[in-house]
Amino acid sequence: MNIFINKGMGHGNSGVEHAQFYRAARFRQKNIPFKLVFTDLLPELHQHMQEWHLAEDEVIGMYDYLLSDDPDQYLKTGLTEKFSFQEDSLWDLTNTQRRQVRQTTGKYQEIIIRDKRYSDDKKIYIVDDSRIFLENGDHKISWHFREVPSRGKVPTNIHLNNFRGSDYLFETFEELVTFFLGELENSFDKNIYFIDRGNENEEALVRAKKQGADFKIVDIVHAAHLVEFQNGHPLFNNFYQYMFDHFDTMDAVITATKLQRDAMKDDLKNQVEVTNLNKIHAIPVGGADINEPAHHWDGKEARFVTASRLHPEKHISQIVKAIDALRKEGLNATLAIYGSGADEKPLNDLITELNLGDYVTVKGLSQNVVKDLQAYDAFVSASYSEGFGLTYIEAISDALPIATYANLYGAQELVQDGVNGKLAEFSRQDSDEDQNVVNLTAAMRAIFDDYDQLSQGAHEVAHVYQSDRIADQWQKLVEELS
């Protein structure tokens, strides 16, 4: 079985989850069996699966499995009953929430007990989760929390009752995950684990393999792997340090771009055995399912669009400021922003402050980005870092020229300056933000100086990233590892 390991998914997801969904589609295309596995507690998991068109027999939720009446059947079919998410709360006389009961979308109930304590440091009362109980009849999981200075609150003393007729006690969440992954290993044959997220998942699998378990590990790199070099030694992204420390245990490492593959090989050439460098492959995490014909711009309204999580690291406020600059120059530029996240209110406040309410619109989350982008002329991104950039591919599919900062690795691989878009130089220093906006504004303006040619370029680039080709790459990798 091909098992995609992650922690969670939801109504709005990051590029990691969308990369998994895209990979799942390619595996379906080639009739390659797979399961998406999530280890977080996800009370609304099955509702979100429906939103993102994941079938019940394609997903394994750790808590669904451990609380199942028939674990073996659950692994084959998923849930066979539908449950609606509901919750109710109990409040004390001080208007403090003490108990919350949730009917999850799985076949179990979640009970949260909260305590209230006075913080001498903060001089306020703090209400926080104290105990968690998950129950499906006589199948139960419960734990309380302990404080770890470097990690905050973590589950401890995890009781698992009546799983396959036995009771278990795990001191840490990591022990529970190790047990769960061991169950998967015993339930499926010829397993290949594709690790997308979760250090505890990766560590458990590496330990098991070093102890003699017979399976393959494929580590998926979703972001920049290198922070910097110090005294000739590479300092890697914390999310990938464990992978590099145990590189000999990995059977394959997948980057989304050839640029990152080549950079990783160069960064590791003095760190690992030369033969291990051949484990690194480049397979795009997204591709073009359609290939729209090139567009013609009529010279009237320049309709820009962007789509991403609405978080500070996406720097969408800089796009709003660039739209303001373009309008002041006389270009009838508008912007549609698709996505959700913590930056939604600050963005709306900025739009109001700049009097752009008639020209910049926050559209909310898109469930079909390729379709929604078709209503616009050009795509724009202000991200400083993209391991790939799924929305670049979605824009290319629609033959939209792209204006973006020249980030590693996505923009520099997917956007060819003067061919299918314009790249803007940028600095990561906060003090240089104004100059960044000037550069991005220039790239956005240049799109419409040579629009038709750039749209034709996007149409041609889309041929390289057709989903059929990417499905072939995944099939080849699975066959080589099997």
Side-chain angles (χ1 to χ4, degrees):
M1 178 61 68
N2 299 286
I3 300 173
F4 305 166
I5 301 285
N6 197 349
K7 293 170 69 67
M9 61 166 287
H11 176 63
N13 295 290
S14 73
V16 175
E17 286 71 50
H18 287 291
Q20 283 193 308
F21 302 160
Y22 180 80
R23 189 189 317 136
R26 304 289 70 77
F27 276 53
R28 289 189 203 104
Q29 188 176 341
K30 292 294 187 177
N31 294 315
I32 303 171
F34 70 91
K35 297 281 188 178
L36 291 99
V37 172
F38 300 105
T39 56
D40 276 353
L41 177 57
L42 304 169
E44 298 179 78
L45 172 62
H46 299 273
Q47 174 60 38
H48 296 143
M49 286 165 53
Q50 291 179 11
E51 291 177 16
W52 294 104
H53 312 294
L54 298 174
E56 280 292 336
D57 62 357
E58 295 177 337
V59 175
I60 299 171
M62 181 171 74
Y63 295 99
D64 284 312
Y65 171 69
L66 296 175
L67 292 164
S68 176
D69 296 325
D70 187 342
D72 293 324
Q73 185 62 37
Y74 171 75
L75 292 181
K76 294 178 182 177
T77 64
L79 286 189
T80 56
E81 303 172 72
K82 292 185 178 181
F83 298 87
S84 298
F85 180 78
Q86 300 177 38
E87 58 184 342
D88 193 17
S89 299
L90 178 67
W91 303 75
D92 68 14
L93 296 177
T94 65
N95 202 33
T96 299
Q97 188 184 66
R98 293 291 193 171
R99 188 173 185 263
Q100 190 171 27
V101 180
R102 294 172 171 171
Q103 172 56 56
T104 72
T105 57
K107 193 183 179 183
Y108 64 92
Q109 189 177 71
E110 177 186 9
I111 302 169
I112 305 169
I113 307 298
R114 296 194 164 99
D115 62 11
K116 181 178 182 180
R117 60 182 177 82
Y118 185 76
S119 171
D120 291 324
D121 294 335
K122 298 181 179 180
K123 307 301 181 185
I124 58 172
Y125 283 98
I126 296 176
V127 179
D128 210 349
D129 294 352
S130 173
R131 298 291 303 273
I132 304 290
F133 299 89
L134 309 178
E135 300 180 353
N136 170 30
D138 58 359
H139 304 287
K140 301 178 181 180
I141 304 175
S142 64
W143 64 83
H144 62 268
F145 296 93
R146 61 187 172 91
E147 288 285 341
V148 176
S150 61
R151 300 169 58 194
K153 289 180 59 173
V154 298
T156 190
N157 290 335
I158 303 168
H159 292 262
L160 172 61
N161 300 115
N162 194 25
F163 176 73
R164 298 187 185 275
S166 298
D167 298 336
Y168 300 86
L169 173 64
F170 307 98
E171 292 188 7
T172 66
F173 177 72
E174 289 76 11
E175 290 181 6
L176 178 66
V177 168
T178 298
F179 175 80
F180 167 63
L181 293 176
E183 284 288 309
L184 296 187
E185 181 60 21
N186 292 332
S187 300
F188 298 109
D189 296 322
K190 299 179 181 179
N191 295 335
I192 303 175
Y193 294 90
F194 296 75
I195 303 175
D196 287 284
R197 198 198 299 273
N199 289 340
E200 64 275 11
N201 301 326
E202 186 173 34
E203 292 172 13
L205 290 169
V206 168
R207 281 195 304 270
K209 190 169 183 182
K210 287 188 173 182
Q211 292 167 3
D214 185 20
F215 56 74
K216 302 296 175 64
I217 299 177
V218 178
D219 229 312
I220 311 293
V221 178
H222 292 283
H225 63 279
L226 182 70
V227 177
E228 62 179 346
F229 274 87
Q230 285 191 1
N231 300 320
H233 183 77
L235 296 181
F236 294 117
N237 182 328
N238 284 341
F239 290 109
Y240 304 118
Q241 184 64 59
Y242 188 86
M243 175 188 75
F244 290 124
D245 289 343
H246 299 83
F247 209 77
D248 59 334
T249 309
M250 305 302 162
D251 296 282
V253 173
I254 309 299
T255 66
T257 65
K258 296 176 183 177
L259 279 176
Q260 188 171 17
R261 177 199 62 192
D262 295 343
M264 186 181 292
K265 287 185 176 183
D266 190 57
D267 295 337
L268 290 174
K269 63 186 178 184
N270 297 320
Q271 310 295 322
V272 303
E273 295 291 336
V274 174
T275 53
N276 277 336
L277 298 179
N278 295 327
K279 297 178 179 179
I280 307 172
H281 306 266
I283 301 179
V285 296
D289 292 322
I290 64 170
N291 191 353
E292 287 290 304
H295 305 299
H296 168 71
W297 185 52
D298 60 14
K300 297 177 182 178
E301 179 183 342
R303 299 170 300 176
F304 287 95
V305 62
T306 192
S308 71
R309 291 177 295 116
L310 304 187
H311 284 268
E313 66 267 23
K314 297 299 183 180
H315 308 290
I316 300 171
S317 61
Q318 296 182 27
I319 304 176
V320 176
K321 292 175 182 179
I323 289 289
D324 184 50
L326 289 172
R327 294 197 64 82
K328 287 176 178 177
E329 292 177 8
L331 183 65
N332 183 19
T334 62
L335 174 67
I337 302 169
Y338 284 91
S340 62
D343 240 14
E344 184 168 350
K345 184 180 185 305
L347 282 171
N348 279 315
D349 291 344
L350 178 63
I351 292 166
T352 300
E353 177 187 337
L354 297 176
N355 295 315
L356 291 174
D358 292 335
Y359 312 109
V360 179
T361 308
V362 179
K363 294 284 193 176
L365 192 67
S366 171
Q367 297 288 348
N368 191 333
V369 175
V370 172
K371 180 179 178 180
D372 289 333
L373 295 191
Q374 290 173 356
Y376 305 95
D377 301 308
F379 185 84
V380 57
S381 170
S383 178
Y384 291 177
S385 177
E386 290 290 348
F388 184 70
L390 284 169
T391 48
Y392 291 148
I393 282 291
E394 289 159 335
I396 289 168
S397 298
D398 287 324
L400 299 188
I402 298 170
T404 177
Y405 289 136
N407 61 62
L408 280 174
Y409 291 93
Q412 292 193 29
E413 176 132 335
L414 298 174
V415 182
Q416 301 173 40
D417 194 61
V419 176
N420 67 315
K422 294 291 182 179
L423 296 175
E425 296 300 318
F426 69 98
S427 165
R428 295 178 181 275
Q429 301 299 318
D430 291 343
S431 58
D432 294 329
E433 180 177 322
D434 289 346
Q435 184 59 50
N436 287 350
V437 172
V438 170
N439 296 347
L440 184 62
T441 302
M444 294 168 70
R445 184 192 312 112
I447 287 286
F448 290 88
D449 291 339
D450 205 8
Y451 182 86
D452 291 7
Q453 180 180 328
L454 294 174
S455 180
Q456 178 63 36
H459 171 73
E460 293 171 1
V461 169
H463 285 294
V464 180
Y465 293 96
Q466 288 298 296
S467 291
D468 287 348
R469 295 187 179 188
I470 298 170
D472 289 341
Q473 293 179 61
W474 283 118
Q475 183 178 45
K476 181 181 178 182
L477 176 71
V478 170
E479 289 174 351
E480 289 175 351
L481 294 176
S482 297

